[in-house]
Amino acid sequence: MENKENGIIKNYLSGFLRVTLVAVLVFLQIVMIVGLTMWLRTYTLYFYTILEIASIIIIIGLVNDSTSSSYKVSWICTVLLLPLTGHIMYFLWGHTSSKQKIEKQVKSKLKHGETFYEFQKETVELFSKRYPTKSRMVRYLESQGFPLYKNNEVTYYPMGEDTFRAIFQDIESAKQFVLINFFIVGEGTLWDQMHKLLLKKLAQGVEVKFMYDDFGAMFRTQKNFKKKLEEEGFEIRVFNPIHKYTDKLYMNYRSHQKIIVIDGSIGYTGGMNLADEYVNLVHRFGIWKDNAVRIKGEAVWGLTVTFLQMWEVCKDGPMLDYTPYHTIESFPENEMFCQVISDGPANNPQNPVEEIYKQIIYYAKQYLYVTTPYLVIEESMREALIAAVSSGIDVRLITPAIPDKKSVKLLTNYNYGKLLKAGIRIFEYTPGFIHAKTIINEDCGIIGTINMDYRSFYLHYECGVFLCYRKKIDEIKKDLDQTMSISHEITYEEWKARPWHTKLAQQVLNVFATLM
């Protein structure tokens, strides 16, 4: 346990024991696979032929699969490096059919949630008149099941401490319900403040639904954390317990969403989690910079539906009626347009979040700014960024100088090369760790939970808000300009001067980029 500046980082043995148990189960599966492999090698002549046939089947299947090219390359390398062992691992864990039953159940619950959406043709028509070059993006998102909303008041928060200060104020005013979803929950000062406030609201008769990811909370909460909260009156759901699907490695799919909804009229999303480092009560990696948005208006219904969809995914049972969580409040007319978007592995290979990122890049006319803690991108995303800068667009990326994961930092740095050579400017946030997830051009952008990496686009359930309003975008740009002013700009010459051992490590890690 670490104490700094009134903050606390707690690590609990129970979480490590659970991970150890799951790791042992997976390891035993691998031992059985390797043992079977060694036994089969005694029949070399017969199984060499079978091995060759299996290799052809796997490669043909992967080439014709609709998954990403990085995913295919990782499995092809595994099969080539581990003959027979890699084949068995692929058929057990890598083949998409092994997860189809689970994903079918998830999709049915997501589809149920979509039935509570209403699409306003007039709103899209108004948007198209105001932003004719951006109407294609809005229509695409509506085709993926995300309605466009107007009449919103959006507040942008450049730091996590600003965000939680506002969240606490809004929860204090809650009259009916509070919906909360985080990826990481860490017991400490921030949690104590949140817990105390929520207990107060429960005593006042306010309904509290609290959801978190099992992996994100298991190391930093007590073993009886869920049980204790339920005894206090909380409704609790935990996404995808890590021990549930060890035979399918579905445990690798996590809910990375962050959503807070108060009485259906106010909602938040952004990069922040419920732990002390996110509000700089402790400095694990220097100054932690996150961002978020607060919405008051019609678009909050999108956040509410997204929350309730994942709430249902967490547990089997009768389908929920969402309508009691729809506010009856009316909001002042304005042209602050928002679309709440979400994504996850059940959507594969149709990934609307990745696609809308590309469209924001392609439709930039003046500039494109991106903040991401991790830059592990597919070739298609890299080419989109390069095409933008080649078209005269001012393209800038902000990544951390101080990483939270050194291996991912190596891959992030490795991905600088082609981008820098093409003329894209890359800044490393020298005060510490930038965890903010942002993409904006001159008219529109997304603030949410989405990192620009394979894990966010393919393995995590994510969410964000697509917003279009010039004054708000200008406000976000001003914050990012200020961030770049205190960051270090990486040059192509500096990147090329990396030590040889760093270059070698990066090339090896890049083979397994989809697993990181």
Side-chain angles (χ1 to χ4, degrees), residues 164 182-185 190 256-258 271-276 278-279 290 435:
F164 275 99
F182 284 106
F183 172 57
I184 291 174
V185 178
L190 185 66
H256 195 241
Q257 296 177 355
K258 295 97 180 181
M272 69 289 177
N273 279 299
L274 190 53
D276 285 357
Y278 290 85
V279 293
D290 242 312
H435 191 251

PDB file of all heavy atoms in Angstrom, residues 164 182-185 190 256-258 271-276 278-279 290 435:
ATOM      1  N   PHE A 164     -14.491  14.486 -11.431  1.00  0.00           N
ATOM      2  CA  PHE A 164     -15.100  13.887 -10.239  1.00  0.00           C
ATOM      3  C   PHE A 164     -15.693  14.945  -9.307  1.00  0.00           C
ATOM      4  O   PHE A 164     -16.678  14.677  -8.615  1.00  0.00           O
ATOM      5  CB  PHE A 164     -14.086  13.011  -9.506  1.00  0.00           C
ATOM      6  CG  PHE A 164     -14.018  11.624 -10.060  1.00  0.00           C
ATOM      7  CD1 PHE A 164     -13.019  11.258 -10.950  1.00  0.00           C
ATOM      8  CD2 PHE A 164     -14.975  10.682  -9.723  1.00  0.00           C
ATOM      9  CE1 PHE A 164     -12.962   9.977 -11.476  1.00  0.00           C
ATOM     10  CE2 PHE A 164     -14.922   9.389 -10.241  1.00  0.00           C
ATOM     11  CZ  PHE A 164     -13.922   9.041 -11.131  1.00  0.00           C
ATOM     12  N   PHE A 182     -17.625   1.516 -14.218  1.00  0.00           N
ATOM     13  CA  PHE A 182     -16.200   1.779 -14.389  1.00  0.00           C
ATOM     14  C   PHE A 182     -15.474   0.486 -14.752  1.00  0.00           C
ATOM     15  O   PHE A 182     -15.926  -0.606 -14.404  1.00  0.00           O
ATOM     16  CB  PHE A 182     -15.585   2.347 -13.103  1.00  0.00           C
ATOM     17  CG  PHE A 182     -15.908   3.791 -12.851  1.00  0.00           C
ATOM     18  CD1 PHE A 182     -16.822   4.136 -11.872  1.00  0.00           C
ATOM     19  CD2 PHE A 182     -15.318   4.799 -13.592  1.00  0.00           C
ATOM     20  CE1 PHE A 182     -17.134   5.461 -11.623  1.00  0.00           C
ATOM     21  CE2 PHE A 182     -15.621   6.126 -13.365  1.00  0.00           C
ATOM     22  CZ  PHE A 182     -16.532   6.465 -12.378  1.00  0.00           C
ATOM     23  N   PHE A 183     -14.351   0.640 -15.433  1.00  0.00           N
ATOM     24  CA  PHE A 183     -13.476  -0.493 -15.713  1.00  0.00           C
ATOM     25  C   PHE A 183     -12.663  -0.834 -14.461  1.00  0.00           C
ATOM     26  O   PHE A 183     -12.628  -1.969 -14.016  1.00  0.00           O
ATOM     27  CB  PHE A 183     -12.546  -0.166 -16.880  1.00  0.00           C
ATOM     28  CG  PHE A 183     -11.471  -1.191 -17.139  1.00  0.00           C
ATOM     29  CD1 PHE A 183     -11.801  -2.510 -17.380  1.00  0.00           C
ATOM     30  CD2 PHE A 183     -10.138  -0.829 -17.142  1.00  0.00           C
ATOM     31  CE1 PHE A 183     -10.817  -3.469 -17.616  1.00  0.00           C
ATOM     32  CE2 PHE A 183      -9.141  -1.766 -17.386  1.00  0.00           C
ATOM     33  CZ  PHE A 183      -9.480  -3.082 -17.614  1.00  0.00           C
ATOM     34  N   ILE A 184     -12.008   0.174 -13.886  1.00  0.00           N
ATOM     35  CA  ILE A 184     -11.180  -0.027 -12.702  1.00  0.00           C
ATOM     36  C   ILE A 184     -11.851   0.613 -11.492  1.00  0.00           C
ATOM     37  O   ILE A 184     -12.312   1.753 -11.556  1.00  0.00           O
ATOM     38  CB  ILE A 184      -9.775   0.584 -12.893  1.00  0.00           C
ATOM     39  CG1 ILE A 184      -8.986  -0.219 -13.931  1.00  0.00           C
ATOM     40  CG2 ILE A 184      -9.006   0.633 -11.567  1.00  0.00           C
ATOM     41  CD1 ILE A 184      -7.648   0.386 -14.284  1.00  0.00           C
ATOM     42  N   VAL A 185     -11.916  -0.140 -10.403  1.00  0.00           N
ATOM     43  CA  VAL A 185     -12.329   0.396  -9.109  1.00  0.00           C
ATOM     44  C   VAL A 185     -11.211   0.075  -8.130  1.00  0.00           C
ATOM     45  O   VAL A 185     -10.834  -1.090  -7.973  1.00  0.00           O
ATOM     46  CB  VAL A 185     -13.657  -0.217  -8.625  1.00  0.00           C
ATOM     47  CG1 VAL A 185     -14.016   0.329  -7.242  1.00  0.00           C
ATOM     48  CG2 VAL A 185     -14.785   0.071  -9.609  1.00  0.00           C
ATOM     49  N   LEU A 190     -10.632   8.355  -3.075  1.00  0.00           N
ATOM     50  CA  LEU A 190     -11.713   8.685  -4.013  1.00  0.00           C
ATOM     51  C   LEU A 190     -12.890   7.735  -3.825  1.00  0.00           C
ATOM     52  O   LEU A 190     -14.058   8.170  -3.803  1.00  0.00           O
ATOM     53  CB  LEU A 190     -11.197   8.626  -5.453  1.00  0.00           C
ATOM     54  CG  LEU A 190     -12.195   9.062  -6.521  1.00  0.00           C
ATOM     55  CD1 LEU A 190     -12.525  10.546  -6.394  1.00  0.00           C
ATOM     56  CD2 LEU A 190     -11.663   8.763  -7.929  1.00  0.00           C
ATOM     57  N   HIS A 256     -14.519  -1.858 -20.887  1.00  0.00           N
ATOM     58  CA  HIS A 256     -13.661  -0.709 -20.615  1.00  0.00           C
ATOM     59  C   HIS A 256     -14.489   0.576 -20.517  1.00  0.00           C
ATOM     60  O   HIS A 256     -13.944   1.677 -20.454  1.00  0.00           O
ATOM     61  CB  HIS A 256     -12.623  -0.607 -21.750  1.00  0.00           C
ATOM     62  CG  HIS A 256     -11.469   0.285 -21.460  1.00  0.00           C
ATOM     63  ND1 HIS A 256     -11.180   1.398 -22.223  1.00  0.00           N
ATOM     64  CD2 HIS A 256     -10.511   0.234 -20.500  1.00  0.00           C
ATOM     65  CE1 HIS A 256     -10.101   1.994 -21.763  1.00  0.00           C
ATOM     66  NE2 HIS A 256      -9.672   1.313 -20.719  1.00  0.00           N
ATOM     67  N   GLN A 257     -15.802   0.439 -20.511  1.00  0.00           N
ATOM     68  CA  GLN A 257     -16.682   1.606 -20.515  1.00  0.00           C
ATOM     69  C   GLN A 257     -16.659   2.334 -19.167  1.00  0.00           C
ATOM     70  O   GLN A 257     -16.473   1.724 -18.124  1.00  0.00           O
ATOM     71  CB  GLN A 257     -18.112   1.181 -20.852  1.00  0.00           C
ATOM     72  CG  GLN A 257     -18.261   0.600 -22.251  1.00  0.00           C
ATOM     73  CD  GLN A 257     -19.671   0.122 -22.545  1.00  0.00           C
ATOM     74  OE1 GLN A 257     -20.542   0.121 -21.686  1.00  0.00           O
ATOM     75  NE2 GLN A 257     -19.896  -0.303 -23.779  1.00  0.00           N
ATOM     76  N   LYS A 258     -16.869   3.647 -19.246  1.00  0.00           N
ATOM     77  CA  LYS A 258     -17.060   4.476 -18.054  1.00  0.00           C
ATOM     78  C   LYS A 258     -18.284   5.344 -18.293  1.00  0.00           C
ATOM     79  O   LYS A 258     -18.284   6.181 -19.202  1.00  0.00           O
ATOM     80  CB  LYS A 258     -15.851   5.367 -17.775  1.00  0.00           C
ATOM     81  CG  LYS A 258     -14.581   4.605 -17.416  1.00  0.00           C
ATOM     82  CD  LYS A 258     -13.701   4.425 -18.605  1.00  0.00           C
ATOM     83  CE  LYS A 258     -12.435   3.667 -18.203  1.00  0.00           C
ATOM     84  NZ  LYS A 258     -11.520   3.489 -19.361  1.00  0.00           N
ATOM     85  N   GLY A 271     -12.186   9.067 -19.970  1.00  0.00           N
ATOM     86  CA  GLY A 271     -11.162   8.070 -19.701  1.00  0.00           C
ATOM     87  C   GLY A 271     -11.002   7.691 -18.250  1.00  0.00           C
ATOM     88  O   GLY A 271     -10.339   6.711 -17.931  1.00  0.00           O
ATOM     89  N   MET A 272     -11.625   8.446 -17.351  1.00  0.00           N
ATOM     90  CA  MET A 272     -11.360   8.301 -15.919  1.00  0.00           C
ATOM     91  C   MET A 272     -11.892   6.991 -15.356  1.00  0.00           C
ATOM     92  O   MET A 272     -12.886   6.456 -15.810  1.00  0.00           O
ATOM     93  CB  MET A 272     -11.982   9.468 -15.146  1.00  0.00           C
ATOM     94  CG  MET A 272     -13.493   9.479 -15.102  1.00  0.00           C
ATOM     95  SD  MET A 272     -14.261   9.894 -16.686  1.00  0.00           S
ATOM     96  CE  MET A 272     -15.996   9.729 -16.272  1.00  0.00           C
ATOM     97  N   ASN A 273     -11.202   6.495 -14.326  1.00  0.00           N
ATOM     98  CA  ASN A 273     -11.663   5.358 -13.534  1.00  0.00           C
ATOM     99  C   ASN A 273     -11.799   5.787 -12.086  1.00  0.00           C
ATOM    100  O   ASN A 273     -11.410   6.895 -11.703  1.00  0.00           O
ATOM    101  CB  ASN A 273     -10.693   4.181 -13.648  1.00  0.00           C
ATOM    102  CG  ASN A 273     -10.903   3.386 -14.920  1.00  0.00           C
ATOM    103  OD1 ASN A 273     -11.970   2.824 -15.153  1.00  0.00           O
ATOM    104  ND2 ASN A 273      -9.879   3.332 -15.763  1.00  0.00           N
ATOM    105  N   LEU A 274     -12.346   4.883 -11.267  1.00  0.00           N
ATOM    106  CA  LEU A 274     -12.635   5.206  -9.870  1.00  0.00           C
ATOM    107  C   LEU A 274     -11.475   4.762  -8.985  1.00  0.00           C
ATOM    108  O   LEU A 274     -11.549   3.774  -8.253  1.00  0.00           O
ATOM    109  CB  LEU A 274     -13.948   4.535  -9.451  1.00  0.00           C
ATOM    110  CG  LEU A 274     -14.556   4.930  -8.100  1.00  0.00           C
ATOM    111  CD1 LEU A 274     -14.720   6.433  -7.984  1.00  0.00           C
ATOM    112  CD2 LEU A 274     -15.886   4.237  -7.901  1.00  0.00           C
ATOM    113  N   ALA A 275     -10.357   5.501  -9.081  1.00  0.00           N
ATOM    114  CA  ALA A 275      -9.165   5.193  -8.289  1.00  0.00           C
ATOM    115  C   ALA A 275      -8.359   6.473  -8.121  1.00  0.00           C
ATOM    116  O   ALA A 275      -8.462   7.406  -8.926  1.00  0.00           O
ATOM    117  CB  ALA A 275      -8.333   4.109  -8.971  1.00  0.00           C
ATOM    118  N   ASP A 276      -7.537   6.513  -7.081  1.00  0.00           N
ATOM    119  CA  ASP A 276      -6.916   7.765  -6.657  1.00  0.00           C
ATOM    120  C   ASP A 276      -5.963   8.378  -7.674  1.00  0.00           C
ATOM    121  O   ASP A 276      -5.816   9.600  -7.740  1.00  0.00           O
ATOM    122  CB  ASP A 276      -6.179   7.554  -5.324  1.00  0.00           C
ATOM    123  CG  ASP A 276      -7.145   7.453  -4.146  1.00  0.00           C
ATOM    124  OD1 ASP A 276      -8.362   7.603  -4.366  1.00  0.00           O
ATOM    125  OD2 ASP A 276      -6.675   7.219  -3.016  1.00  0.00           O
ATOM    126  N   TYR A 278      -6.310   8.641 -10.770  1.00  0.00           N
ATOM    127  CA  TYR A 278      -7.034   9.332 -11.832  1.00  0.00           C
ATOM    128  C   TYR A 278      -7.379  10.767 -11.471  1.00  0.00           C
ATOM    129  O   TYR A 278      -7.752  11.566 -12.336  1.00  0.00           O
ATOM    130  CB  TYR A 278      -8.308   8.562 -12.194  1.00  0.00           C
ATOM    131  CG  TYR A 278      -7.999   7.261 -12.887  1.00  0.00           C
ATOM    132  CD1 TYR A 278      -7.722   6.114 -12.153  1.00  0.00           C
ATOM    133  CD2 TYR A 278      -7.936   7.181 -14.276  1.00  0.00           C
ATOM    134  CE1 TYR A 278      -7.397   4.923 -12.786  1.00  0.00           C
ATOM    135  CE2 TYR A 278      -7.620   5.999 -14.909  1.00  0.00           C
ATOM    136  CZ  TYR A 278      -7.347   4.876 -14.162  1.00  0.00           C
ATOM    137  OH  TYR A 278      -7.015   3.705 -14.788  1.00  0.00           O
ATOM    138  N   VAL A 279      -7.262  11.102 -10.187  1.00  0.00           N
ATOM    139  CA  VAL A 279      -7.511  12.476  -9.738  1.00  0.00           C
ATOM    140  C   VAL A 279      -6.269  13.058  -9.076  1.00  0.00           C
ATOM    141  O   VAL A 279      -6.337  14.047  -8.343  1.00  0.00           O
ATOM    142  CB  VAL A 279      -8.720  12.539  -8.781  1.00  0.00           C
ATOM    143  CG1 VAL A 279      -9.997  12.192  -9.519  1.00  0.00           C
ATOM    144  CG2 VAL A 279      -8.544  11.609  -7.585  1.00  0.00           C
ATOM    145  N   ASP A 290      -6.418  13.090 -17.674  1.00  0.00           N
ATOM    146  CA  ASP A 290      -7.565  12.449 -18.291  1.00  0.00           C
ATOM    147  C   ASP A 290      -8.518  13.543 -18.756  1.00  0.00           C
ATOM    148  O   ASP A 290      -8.381  14.699 -18.363  1.00  0.00           O
ATOM    149  CB  ASP A 290      -8.280  11.524 -17.294  1.00  0.00           C
ATOM    150  CG  ASP A 290      -8.272  10.080 -17.747  1.00  0.00           C
ATOM    151  OD1 ASP A 290      -8.593   9.847 -18.918  1.00  0.00           O
ATOM    152  OD2 ASP A 290      -7.942   9.203 -16.931  1.00  0.00           O
ATOM    153  N   HIS A 435      -3.866   9.817 -20.179  1.00  0.00           N
ATOM    154  CA  HIS A 435      -4.788   8.701 -20.313  1.00  0.00           C
ATOM    155  C   HIS A 435      -6.017   9.111 -21.113  1.00  0.00           C
ATOM    156  O   HIS A 435      -6.902   8.295 -21.375  1.00  0.00           O
ATOM    157  CB  HIS A 435      -5.189   8.216 -18.909  1.00  0.00           C
ATOM    158  CG  HIS A 435      -5.924   6.924 -18.880  1.00  0.00           C
ATOM    159  ND1 HIS A 435      -7.268   6.826 -18.576  1.00  0.00           N
ATOM    160  CD2 HIS A 435      -5.512   5.651 -19.107  1.00  0.00           C
ATOM    161  CE1 HIS A 435      -7.646   5.563 -18.621  1.00  0.00           C
ATOM    162  NE2 HIS A 435      -6.596   4.813 -18.940  1.00  0.00           N
TER     163      HIS A 435
END
